[in-house]
Amino acid sequence: MANRPLCSLDLQNEKIFYQDDSFIVLRTKNLKGHRERIMIIYRRHQHTIPYKAFERALNILTQIGREVFKYTPKFVILDTTFATINDHWHMVASDLDPESEDFDLMLATRWIKVVDNMYPDQT
Ligand SMILES: [Zn+2]
């Protein structure tokens, strides 16, 4: 990343769960009181992504989330209205701990998907 001084992505100390040519899934820097809180980031400097790519990102985050959030029956994938990364499209997944710091904010955020770990994905 040294040749991209404007990029806010610094992945050196991050816990990476998945990566390919388009996306990276990693643990968020700030867990906000959750046992796990992860996000998927689009590698390119774009605020929006094509719908096909969005569908793929949702699928990846769901699959990785099912592993990462094994300890809890349900997790949610959230809209990134209150996001801290500005130059990359991204999407957050989190458990539903009511004791977490951002639980009220989570309730105020649009939930893109609720994933039920007790059941496989409905298609
Ligand atoms: Zn960047």
Side-chain angles (χ1 to χ4, degrees):
M1 297 284 163
N3 55 343
R4 280 187 247 156
L6 293 177
C7 187
S8 61
L9 277 188
D10 178 8
L11 303 173
Q12 276 186 335
N13 299 312
E14 307 304 326
K15 167 69 181 168
I16 308 279
F17 293 103
Y18 172 90
Q19 52 185 325
D20 61 28
D21 289 344
S22 304
F23 297 104
I24 307 161
V25 179
L26 70 164
R27 181 178 287 145
T28 60
K29 268 193 177 60
N30 187 348
L31 288 174
K32 303 191 177 184
H34 298 277
R35 177 165 158 189
E36 283 290 359
R37 189 170 176 276
I38 64 174
M39 67 177 161
I40 188 163
I41 302 175
Y42 195 50
R43 286 183 182 272
R44 285 185 219 153
H45 282 152
Q46 288 176 213
H47 292 268
T48 58
I49 61 173
Y51 188 70
K52 280 277 179 202
F54 170 81
E55 278 187 316
R56 217 179 124 243
L58 195 56
N59 188 44
I60 293 168
L61 194 56
T62 300
Q63 297 315 313
I64 303 296
R66 281 183 180 279
E67 282 301 309
V68 173
F69 296 107
K70 262 195 294 209
Y71 60 90
T72 187
K74 288 181 176 64
F75 65 96
V76 290
I77 296 176
L78 300 162
D79 205 355
T80 51
T81 314
F82 301 104
T84 46
I85 302 177
N86 292 318
D87 55 351
H88 293 261
W89 179 92
H90 60 289
M91 189 160 63
V92 170
S94 174
D95 65 27
L96 286 164
D97 183 355
E99 302 297 317
S100 61
E101 292 163 31
D102 66 337
F103 193 64
D104 287 345
L105 196 56
M106 284 177 66
L107 294 181
T109 305
R110 188 172 70 94
W111 294 3
I112 293 169
K113 187 177 183 181
V114 178
V115 183
D116 194 328
N117 268 339
M118 312 300 277
Y119 299 93
D121 262 335
Q122 306 289 317
T123 47

